[in-house]
Amino acid sequence: MDDLVGTQAPGCRLTDPAESVAELERVLPGLVAHRRPTPVAVDWPRLENVLGTALPADYKLLCELYPLFELSDFLRVGGPAPGAEVAWVTEDLEIVAEWCENADLAVPLHPYPAPGGLLPWTSSNQGDFFLWTTSPAGPQEWTVTVASRNGAWWHYTGGAVQFLADLVSGVLEPWALPTVRPEITWIRRPVAGDG
C-alpha cells in the first residue's frame, strides 16, 4: 500500500517569483555564484502551448537565472534547455502516469492533464518525483506533491522554489527522503549561447 504521509505548509506562502528565488539564494549560499549574467531564453510559450497550461512564474524565473544543478548529491533542479523545451516533460509524464495507475491510495492521484493532475518539475537521482498538483485557480496557486521511490506521497502547500528553500533550510521534514543539505554538488557548465 502506498502511503499518503500528510501535508506540510510554509509559514507564509511566497507569491512573488523574485522573492521565492531570493529566499532560495539566501538558504543556499553557493547558488548565487552560478547565476547567469543574462537570463537564458526558454521558449515558455511553446512548452506551455504543448502542455495546454501556463507554468508557475517562480519556477520559470529560477530556470532562466540558473543552469541545471544538483543539491546534496540527490536532487536535480532545472528546467528545459532552449530548443529542447517539449522533450523536457514527456518522459517524466509517462512515468508519473504509470505511478498514479499503480499507486494503491485511498484517495487516487492522477497525472496531468486530469483536473488537479500531477505535473513533474524535477526528480532525484534515486527515483523520487517532485510534482505540481495543478489547479484550475492557475499555476501561481499550484502546490507540490512529493512521490518518493519507496511509495510514500506527501504534499507541500507552497510553490516549487519555496519548497526547495524550505527543504534545504531544514524547515520541512524530509518525509521519506534523505536529508537535503544546503550544498550544490554538481552544476551544468555553460555552453556557447547558454547565457
Side-chain angles (χ1 to χ4, degrees):
M1 170 103 177
D2 291 17
D3 296 317
L4 182 54
V5 178
T7 300
Q8 295 185 60
C12 175
R13 183 172 177 150
L14 301 178
T15 56
D16 178 75
E19 190 179 351
S20 295
V21 171
E23 178 62 11
L24 181 59
E25 291 170 338
R26 185 186 72 75
V27 300
L28 189 58
L31 186 60
V32 175
H34 301 288
R35 190 175 189 152
R36 293 179 169 119
T38 304
V40 72
V42 175
D43 191 347
W44 296 113
R46 180 168 185 249
L47 175 58
E48 292 170 338
N49 186 52
V50 168
L51 287 172
T53 184
L55 294 173
D58 62 332
Y59 182 76
K60 294 194 294 188
L61 180 60
L62 181 68
C63 294
E64 292 167 359
L65 294 176
Y66 288 99
L68 181 68
F69 62 93
E70 186 171 87
L71 293 171
S72 192
D73 291 321
F74 172 70
L75 180 62
R76 285 266 167 115
V77 179
E85 291 88 355
V86 176
W88 168 72
V89 77
T90 308
E91 184 179 319
D92 285 349
L93 262 176
E94 291 170 6
I95 293 169
V96 169
E98 186 177 307
W99 275 34
C100 288
E101 184 178 317
N102 295 331
D104 184 18
L105 295 171
V107 179
L109 298 174
H110 302 284
Y112 178 83
L118 301 173
L119 183 61
W121 55 272
T122 200
S123 60
S124 77
N125 59 18
Q126 296 178 11
D128 306 282
F129 277 91
F130 300 84
L131 313 133
W132 285 298
T133 300
T134 59
S135 162
Q140 305 322 83
E141 300 302 316
W142 292 359
T143 58
V144 172
T145 294
V146 176
S148 77
R149 69 190 176 287
N150 65 14
W153 296 68
W154 55 281
H155 302 290
Y156 172 77
T157 60
V161 178
Q162 187 175 8
F163 169 84
L164 293 170
D166 283 355
L167 186 65
V168 301
S169 70
V171 169
L172 285 179
E173 285 291 324
W175 293 335
L177 300 174
T179 299
V180 179
R181 298 174 314 278
E183 64 179 351
I184 297 170
T185 51
W186 177 86
I187 192 144
R188 184 174 60 89
R189 297 292 166 212
V191 294
D194 191 29

